[in-house]
Amino acid sequence: MITDPLFYLAAVPAVLIVGISKGGFGGGLGLLAVPMMSLVISPIQAAAIMLPILCLMDLVGLWSFRGKGDFSLLKVLIPASLVGIIVGALSFNYLSERSLEFIVGAIAVLFTLNYWLRPKQREAKQPSTARGGFWGLITGFTSFSVHAGGPPLNIYLLPLQLEKSAYIGTTIIMFAAINYLKVIPYAVLGQFSMANLSTAAVLAILAPIGVRMGYWMHHRIDEKWFYRICFVFLFVTGSKLLFDAIIG
């Protein structure tokens, strides 16, 4: 088990923020965990530690937002994400630690800049099988590699302007399906070592706490302030990872 205090200094707030995001804000900041933990361990190990925790969070989220998802969207997104997971699994051994740091950092920075700079959308777009299939595939791939499926999924879902609970329910079901589909290839690739599983077990107690905190905040706290703080932190950690990957 990891015993470095610096790891837990990064991992504990990361897990709580991801749980809060999943429980009340659609899980869009699920990509925050790997960049934060990658400051002290490799992105590959961070992703392996997070997967069991994410699976536990998904169970709590599914119960909290049961019956709230848009299944007409999910019937396109989930099969497409399975293709992305397969592509991610087949290419896993060809991605170096530096390349994964670059991917994580680039996704974090670009997602943050898109959030800050994109113009306000006035009219909702209509769902599209082609767009849903494409972004579902990208979601599956980025989620498999570094649990960073939130940005590509949001690129497709946010312009649809779903009702708040429907949006959160859809993302929770989507990522629950993706995370449980990832368990088999992660196991085959040897990601679930005793060190990773024991560390995940220690952090797992924070999973239901974070999700239930998010569910409570969903009805009481302005999500704009939560996102503003988290996006600043996400931009800083993403920039640090990009810098390390480029210099390395």
Side-chain angles (χ1 to χ4, degrees):
M1 188 183 77
I2 297 176
T3 57
D4 183 359
L6 288 177
F7 167 75
Y8 292 97
L9 189 63
V12 169
V15 172
L16 283 175
I17 289 172
V18 173
I20 291 169
S21 179
K22 273 183 169 289
F25 304 95
L29 290 179
L31 80 164
L32 185 61
V34 172
M36 288 180 65
M37 293 164 66
S38 296
L39 296 174
V40 287
I41 61 174
S42 77
I44 296 172
Q45 187 177 18
I49 291 171
M50 277 304 301
L51 183 55
I53 299 171
L54 291 172
C55 288
L56 181 57
M57 288 179 177
D58 290 329
L59 292 178
V60 181
L62 286 170
W63 175 256
S64 299
F65 288 90
R66 56 193 180 278
K68 299 290 178 63
D70 189 322
F71 289 92
S72 65
L73 299 175
L74 290 167
K75 70 181 182 181
V76 175
L77 289 168
I78 291 177
S81 71
L82 177 58
V83 177
I85 290 171
I86 293 172
V87 173
L90 293 176
S91 62
F92 181 80
N93 288 325
Y94 299 96
L95 293 174
S96 67
E97 183 175 317
R98 289 298 180 187
S99 65
L100 284 175
E101 284 186 344
F102 183 85
I103 291 172
V104 176
I107 290 174
V109 169
L110 291 175
F111 186 47
T112 306
L113 291 176
N114 177 69
Y115 175 82
W116 285 338
L117 302 177
R118 71 171 183 261
K120 296 292 184 181
Q121 182 182 328
R122 297 180 180 179
E123 296 183 2
K125 287 186 177 180
Q126 294 300 311
S128 164
T129 300
R131 284 188 290 111
F134 174 78
W135 289 113
L137 187 152
I138 301 300
T139 298
F141 175 77
T142 56
S143 181
F144 179 87
S145 301
V146 285
H147 306 315
L153 182 64
N154 280 332
I155 289 173
Y156 176 62
L157 287 184
L158 289 178
L160 303 181
Q161 297 184 10
L162 301 174
E163 187 271 328
K164 185 179 178 181
S165 293
Y167 163 72
I168 295 174
T170 300
T171 59
I172 286 175
I173 296 171
M174 174 69 169
F175 285 117
I178 287 176
N179 288 332
Y180 279 93
L181 286 170
K182 290 189 295 189
V183 169
I184 295 176
Y186 264 56
V188 171
L189 291 166
Q191 293 296 89
F192 295 139
S193 66
M194 285 304 298
N196 290 342
L197 288 177
S198 58
T199 303
V202 170
L203 293 171
I205 190 173
L206 301 172
I209 295 174
V211 176
R212 293 306 296 177
M213 286 173 63
Y215 183 75
W216 181 85
M217 293 168 65
H218 174 74
H219 300 286
R220 294 172 176 83
I221 296 177
D222 185 357
E223 61 194 83
K224 290 182 180 179
W225 282 105
F226 174 80
Y227 272 102
R228 284 172 182 169
I229 295 170
C230 288
F231 272 107
V232 169
F233 199 52
L234 182 61
F235 183 80
V236 172
T237 56
S239 299
K240 173 66 166 58
L241 288 174
L242 267 180
F243 177 80
D244 289 345
I246 293 170
I247 296 300

